[in-house]
Amino acid sequence: VPRVLQSRFSLPLALVCVPSSPAKTTKFKITVDTNQPPVDLKLIFPEFSAKSEDKDGNSLAFQFLSGAKVAVLASKTSQRYRIQSDSFEDMWLVVKELVHRFNQHFSKMGVKDFKKSFSGPLPLQEYFLSVDHHFQLRVSAQQYQDLLSERAVQFRAIQRRLLTRFKDKTPAPLQNLDTLLDATYSQVMALAEAAEENRAQLEEAFVRLRSATHLLVLLLSLWQGLTPDQTAILEATLLPLLQDTPQLGWEESCDAAVSHLLRTCLSRSPKDQATSLAQAGGPVLSLPRDTARLKKHITLLCDRIAKGGRLTLASEGNVQVPAQVQNLAAPGGVEPIAEVPGDGEELGLPREATKFVKKKQPSKKVKKDKDSKEKKEVSRETSEATVTEEVGGTEEPVKELTKVKESKKDSSKEAKEDVKKESKKESSSSREKKEKKERDKDKEGKEASKDSGDKKVSRKSSVKVKEKKKEPEALDG
């Protein structure tokens, strides 16, 4: 089974820089504050103290292999340490090493409440200089690429013209096509060399931009006291790429990451955060026109963090999402966000109303079922009455069945009247009128059934008399 083992270690600072004399005038300065008394810099950097010119241990200078110088000055009265240099990006390694060695020094001394901070304003303008330099080199690389493609097309067109001239049996003048070919070739070579030089500068600028970004993240963490998890999120946001490519550059990817943080965990209102979560993706990342939008977003990110914004990716699940945003998010393929309990009760019907609606509908069905059952029973009774009349030929069972019908109809009437009393509460006069009408209908139905029964009995009796008359005749025969 393949396994992966990872180990992180830090190389010594002496591999990239040597001790030097501090410069008198510098452009960029950074001050780091501590809550412990000032420490001799010779104890913090012992490998550089032997060759340093300062004997008091209050100042120490480093010269990188690239030529830049960085100086560290310790205050004699306060707990402040100043790092200054002419290059903003080169200060990152020294500041990082200084903070790391301070932590080791005070932990060995047994100090548990050691704190370090950065009180001055963030050097955003100095940071934006490296951003602009990197962006300009990217634009130049794109321009060189376009010019090279144009000159290559022109070079191939001239070659085709020359080939057609050389293939002709009758020679024709070249019309200075050879000189044009030489000039185009020299232009292609010059553009290729310039593009290669620009590519090398772009790689160096990207390394410097990464160093400046690391310094900005370190100062932000010291300024606001960010936790290691928050610092890791900030580094992943401002340094999303390990290598800059023509297809995907640092500016557009960093802008997308910063915009996502501003819309989610650093948003001012939960409504904005919910709408950002409902979006089904942003525009295609490409080289922007300028860096104004990126600078604005980075400045806004620092302001939100300074005002107490929390860098966390787990806060997206705790956002209260309105119903309108859920409806917008549903067709876009976004997973539905759980509603807050309590919002649905206001929109829905009260419990009493739902009970009434649920009970009302099946009651109608029960009534219809009862009516259909009564009709079926009545039809069965009429069929039984005709059968009894055919068999017996008497009127007594007919009367008994009609009485049963009347009793069942009366019982159904009473049930209906009880339901009507509960629901509608009709007046006594209307009830009497309805009862009279129903009694009249019952009487008419009884008389009709009796007449039909008499007719059937008379018919069948005559048939039986005829059969009896025929029987003696057959016997006589």
Side-chain angles (χ1 to χ4, degrees):
V1 178
R3 296 182 181 180
V4 178
L5 298 177
Q6 293 183 354
S7 177
R8 298 189 66 179
F9 58 92
S10 58
L11 294 172
L13 187 63
L15 287 177
V16 292
C17 61
V18 294
S20 176
S21 60
K24 295 182 179 179
T25 58
T26 54
K27 293 182 181 180
F28 309 106
K29 297 178 182 180
I30 292 173
T31 304
V32 177
D33 299 336
T34 60
N35 61 348
Q36 298 295 326
V39 184
D40 190 359
L41 293 178
K42 292 181 180 180
L43 298 176
I44 304 297
F45 297 96
E47 66 271 24
F48 295 96
S49 60
K51 299 180 182 180
S52 64
E53 298 177 357
D54 186 21
K55 297 181 181 181
D56 296 334
N58 294 327
S59 64
L60 195 62
F62 307 91
Q63 184 175 3
F64 287 94
L65 300 179
S66 60
K69 289 184 179 182
V70 180
V72 180
L73 304 176
S75 176
K76 296 180 180 180
T77 56
S78 61
Q79 300 92 359
R80 292 186 175 184
Y81 302 88
R82 177 175 291 178
I83 300 95
Q84 56 189 13
S85 173
D86 289 334
S87 175
F88 178 74
E89 301 86 2
D90 293 324
M91 287 192 294
W92 169 59
L93 277 179
V94 177
V95 176
K96 179 186 177 183
E97 193 70 20
L98 181 67
V99 171
H100 178 64
R101 296 197 181 197
F102 273 157
N103 291 332
Q104 289 181 343
H105 176 72
F106 287 109
S107 64
K108 289 179 181 179
M109 292 178 63
V111 179
K112 296 182 179 179
D113 59 344
F114 172 67
K115 294 181 180 179
K116 51 198 178 297
S117 61
F118 172 72
S119 58
L122 288 175
L124 289 177
Q125 298 302 322
E126 293 83 354
Y127 174 68
F128 291 153
L129 291 176
S130 59
V131 173
D132 290 334
H133 179 59
H134 177 262
F135 181 74
Q136 290 299 327
L137 289 174
R138 283 192 66 194
V139 173
S140 299
Q142 186 67 34
Q143 291 175 354
Y144 283 132
Q145 189 71 25
D146 296 339
L147 288 173
L148 267 174
S149 61
E150 290 178 2
R151 293 296 180 269
V153 170
Q154 180 179 338
F155 187 73
R156 287 193 294 270
I158 296 170
Q159 281 182 331
R160 285 194 296 270
R161 292 281 185 90
L162 285 173
L163 285 174
T164 54
R165 296 288 176 89
F166 291 149
K167 286 180 180 180
D168 289 341
K169 294 180 179 180
T170 57
L174 296 178
Q175 296 179 351
N176 297 325
L177 283 176
D178 52 349
T179 57
L180 187 59
L181 184 68
D182 293 338
T184 306
Y185 176 75
S186 60
Q187 288 179 1
V188 169
M189 294 303 295
L191 285 173
E193 292 175 358
E196 187 66 22
E197 184 181 356
N198 185 83
R199 187 188 61 80
Q201 292 178 1
L202 183 60
E203 290 180 357
E204 182 183 355
F206 185 65
V207 172
R208 289 185 170 275
L209 179 61
R210 287 179 61 85
S211 299
T213 307
H214 277 298
L215 180 59
L216 181 66
V217 171
L218 180 60
L219 294 180
L220 264 172
S221 61
L222 293 176
W223 185 34
Q224 295 299 321
L226 300 179
T227 60
D229 294 336
Q230 293 176 344
T231 307
I233 293 173
L234 196 59
E235 286 183 356
T237 303
L238 296 177
L239 289 172
L241 297 177
L242 294 176
Q243 188 177 0
D244 204 8
T245 58
Q247 291 80 18
L248 183 63
W250 177 84
E251 283 81 8
E252 54 266 26
S253 54
C254 181
D255 190 14
V258 173
S259 301
H260 178 72
L261 282 185
L262 292 175
R263 290 172 182 171
T264 53
C265 60
L266 296 179
S267 62
R268 292 181 179 178
S269 62
K271 185 177 180 182
D272 297 338
Q273 186 171 350
T275 53
S276 68
L277 292 175
Q279 291 177 354
V284 179
L285 297 181
S286 59
L287 181 67
R289 295 181 180 178
D290 52 11
T291 58
R293 182 181 175 185
L294 176 62
K295 293 177 185 177
K296 182 180 177 181
H297 286 171
I298 293 176
T299 307
L300 191 60
L301 174 71
C302 297
D303 292 340
R304 295 275 177 89
I305 295 174
K307 291 178 181 178
R310 294 183 60 191
L311 286 171
T312 174
L313 300 178
S315 63
E316 297 175 357
N318 301 325
V319 182
Q320 298 181 0
V321 183
Q324 296 178 355
V325 177
Q326 285 186 353
N327 296 331
L328 290 174
V334 183
E335 295 182 358
I337 305 170
E339 291 184 358
V340 180
D343 294 342
E345 293 178 2
E346 296 177 359
L347 297 174
L349 293 172
R351 294 181 179 177
E352 297 177 358
T354 54
K355 287 181 180 179
F356 179 72
V357 171
K358 287 180 181 178
K359 289 180 179 180
K360 191 175 180 181
Q361 293 176 353
S363 64
K364 292 180 180 179
K365 294 180 181 178
V366 171
K367 286 181 180 179
K368 290 179 180 179
D369 295 337
K370 287 181 179 179
D371 295 338
S372 62
K373 287 179 181 178
E374 289 175 359
K375 290 179 181 178
K376 288 179 181 178
E377 288 174 359
V378 171
S379 62
R380 287 175 185 174
E381 289 167 359
T382 53
S383 62
E384 288 175 359
T386 53
V387 170
T388 52
E389 288 173 2
E390 289 176 357
V391 174
T394 58
E395 296 179 0
E396 291 178 358
V398 178
K399 291 179 181 178
E400 291 177 358
L401 289 171
T402 53
K403 287 179 181 179
V404 173
K405 289 180 192 176
E406 288 176 359
S407 62
K408 288 185 177 180
K409 286 184 179 179
D410 293 335
S411 62
S412 63
K413 288 174 191 174
E414 290 174 358
K416 289 180 180 179
E417 287 174 0
D418 293 335
V419 174
K420 289 178 181 178
K421 284 178 183 178
E422 292 176 359
S423 61
K424 295 183 180 180
K425 295 181 181 181
E426 294 178 351
S427 62
S428 59
S429 61
S430 62
R431 289 178 191 169
E432 292 174 358
K433 289 179 181 179
K434 288 181 180 180
E435 288 176 359
K436 287 179 182 180
K437 289 180 180 180
E438 290 173 356
R439 287 173 185 173
D440 295 336
K441 289 180 180 179
D442 293 335
K443 287 179 182 180
E444 291 176 359
K446 290 175 186 177
E447 290 175 359
S449 62
K450 285 180 181 180
D451 294 336
S452 62
D454 294 339
K455 289 178 181 179
K456 288 178 181 178
V457 171
S458 61
R459 286 178 185 175
K460 290 179 179 178
S461 61
S462 61
V463 171
K464 289 177 181 178
V465 169
K466 288 179 180 179
E467 289 176 355
K468 288 178 181 178
K469 287 180 181 180
K470 288 179 181 178
E471 287 176 358
E473 289 176 0
L475 293 170
D476 293 338

